[in-house]
């Protein structure tokens, strides 16, 4: 699978990053993987060197700028080093498996649509995640008219035609992914949804999502009036 590049934004990562990269290397050895360190600091240097030794491209932000900034840095790198390649973005905290990342890569290749890896919110799911997704899913449908089962998933695939457009979407932190989804819906970009297993390890303790501040940021793109001009998307599957 060489038609897509995997982008992993990380902040103070743990061993699960190494495990995920090793899984990807085993399952798809010729697939490019880009790890973007969002200003983790010196304590993460040794672990990031291990990831680099596994053959990943390593990009570093000078300070903690936010997940949106890390994703944009990954997209800029793909445009320079792997032009014409699709992009699959995933979290590296244990929620996403290599097999699911590769499934999304195949789906974006076949459909030329944005592909969301949507989680099932049943079973052993932290209450804050269950409630948060229900609220944002409802607001998203009210705002855009598009039904998305999981608006907050970090597992997403984008056709290469949209990679440069992703850099034009405002947002530097957790609000960025919601802003992308809102802009895509309003541009009538096709959005595919693939169900993936839900994995919350240690009650999602590794998440850096701030319940209050980041929730406010996440909802902000949903409050922008629909008539507000936004960047036009060159939707490949339109």
């Amino acid at each position: 699978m060489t038609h897509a590049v995997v982008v992993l934004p990380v902040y103070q990562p743990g061993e699960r990053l190494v495990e995920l990269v090793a899984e990807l290397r085993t399952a798809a050895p010729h697939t490019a993987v880009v790890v973007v360190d969002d200003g983790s600091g010196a304590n993460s240097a040794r672990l990031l060197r291990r990831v680099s030794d596994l053959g990943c491209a390593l990009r570093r932000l000078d300070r903690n700028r936010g997940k949106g900034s890390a994703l944009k840095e990954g997209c800029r790198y793909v445009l320079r080093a792997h032009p014409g390649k699709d992009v699959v973005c995933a979290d590296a905290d244990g929620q996403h498996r290599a097999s699911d990342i590769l499934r999304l890569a195949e789906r974006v290749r076949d459909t030329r649509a944005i592909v969301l890896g949507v989680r099932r919110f049943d079973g052993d799911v932290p209450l804050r995640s269950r409630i948060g997704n229900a609220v944002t899913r409802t607001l998203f449908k009210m705002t855009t008219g598009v039904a998305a089962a999981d608006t907050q998933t970090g597992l997403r695939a984008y056709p290469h035609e949209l990679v440069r457009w992703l850099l034009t979407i405002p947002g530097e932190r957790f609000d960025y992914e919601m802003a992308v989804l809102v802009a895509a819906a309003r541009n009538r970009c096709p959005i595919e949804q693939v169900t993936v297993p839900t994995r919350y390890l240690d009650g999602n303790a590794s998440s850096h999502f701030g319940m209050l501040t980041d929730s406010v940021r996440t909802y902000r793109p949903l409050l922008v009036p629909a008539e507000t001009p936004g960047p036009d998307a060159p939707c490949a599957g339109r």
Side-chain angles (χ1 to χ4, degrees):
M1 196 273 292
T2 59
H3 57 86
V5 178
V6 178
V7 174
L8 305 175
V10 300
Y11 176 62
Q12 297 179 347
E15 285 293 328
R16 293 188 183 111
L17 169 63
V18 180
E19 293 168 4
L20 176 59
V21 170
E23 287 179 17
L24 286 167
R25 277 281 162 262
T26 299
H30 300 296
T31 295
V33 179
V34 183
V35 174
V36 184
D37 172 36
D38 185 21
S40 297
N43 290 340
S44 299
R46 180 175 298 179
L47 186 143
L48 291 170
R49 279 199 299 272
R50 290 169 58 194
V51 168
S52 180
D53 289 343
L54 287 171
C56 292
L58 181 59
R59 309 297 299 170
R60 285 193 171 99
L61 301 184
D62 58 342
R63 58 182 175 83
N64 180 233
R65 295 179 177 273
K67 187 179 182 183
S69 294
L71 288 169
K72 289 177 182 177
E73 174 59 26
C75 288
R76 279 191 288 268
Y77 178 82
V78 171
L79 286 170
R80 291 195 306 270
H82 302 281
K85 293 291 184 68
D86 302 330
V87 171
V88 183
C89 302
D91 297 329
D93 57 1
Q95 284 197 53
H96 302 145
R97 302 184 299 188
S99 58
D100 296 318
I101 291 171
L102 298 176
R103 273 205 298 146
L104 261 68
E106 296 302 321
R107 181 66 71 88
V108 73
R109 182 191 63 183
D110 294 341
T111 66
R112 313 314 302 152
I114 295 172
V115 184
L116 305 180
V118 302
R119 301 161 290 181
R120 291 185 183 276
F121 285 87
D122 51 16
D124 189 19
V125 177
L127 182 62
R128 71 171 185 173
S129 298
R130 193 191 302 269
I131 294 175
N133 184 70
V135 172
T136 53
R137 185 176 64 229
T138 300
L139 289 175
F140 184 78
K141 177 66 180 297
M142 292 172 58
T143 301
T144 67
V146 175
D150 185 1
T151 59
Q152 295 178 303
T153 178
L155 180 56
R156 306 178 179 204
Y158 302 99
H160 69 80
E161 294 90 347
L162 289 181
V163 177
R164 193 173 300 278
W165 173 77
L166 292 173
L167 300 177
T168 70
I169 305 299
E172 306 302 323
R173 296 190 176 274
F174 285 107
D175 55 321
Y176 173 71
E177 288 175 303
M178 180 61 77
V180 168
L181 203 54
V182 170
R186 288 177 175 169
N187 276 278
R188 299 186 180 180
C189 293
I191 298 174
E192 294 272 324
Q193 302 182 64
V194 174
T195 302
V196 299
T198 306
R199 298 204 304 176
Y200 287 101
L201 305 179
D202 303 322
N204 208 24
S206 63
S207 173
H208 297 286
F209 187 90
M211 195 60 180
L212 179 59
T213 56
D214 287 318
S215 291
V216 171
R217 291 191 183 104
T218 297
Y219 293 138
R220 190 178 300 152
L222 293 169
L223 303 178
V224 177
E227 63 270 13
T228 300
D232 291 332
C235 298
R238 201 182 258 167

